[in-house]
Amino acid sequence: MRCMRGLTGTLVGLGLAGVLAGCKQANPPVPLEQLNPQQSRGHAVFATHCAACHYDRKDEALHGPALVGLYKKKSLPSGAPANDERVSATVLHGRNLMPAMGNTMDQQDLDDLLAYLHTL
């Protein structure tokens, strides 16, 4: 019986170690004061067009999914690849409950926004 408890404890410990090893902490977003001018403009675009529905600096959903670590993931919440092409299409044309933002921003706004999203 004592041997079984020792074995069970060892297995639980190994399982916990495996789980903890698999939990990688993503790098935090670049601090706002360290953003370059384009990224700072992108932060302003985010604040104007996106912040009502998305958090950018915490991994928690608001009305839409959190955007922290957006480009550090393999895919977007939709399953599409996390790349500039797919993010741009989603921003410009909308998707599901997200409205299209193409008529509210120009190409420079979009480029600045993408530069900012890469810092998250």
Side-chain angles (χ1 to χ4, degrees), residues 14-36:
L14 287 172
L16 182 59
V19 168
L20 292 176
C23 294
K24 294 180 184 174
Q25 184 73 10
N27 292 334
V30 174
L32 293 175
E33 62 275 2
Q34 294 179 15
L35 298 178
N36 68 34

Side-chain angles (χ1 to χ4, degrees), residues 100-116:
M101 304 303 266
N103 61 345
T104 65
M105 62 177 71
D106 61 21
Q107 186 62 49
Q108 187 63 58
D109 288 339
L110 180 61
D111 292 344
D112 295 346
L113 176 62
L114 294 176
Y116 174 65

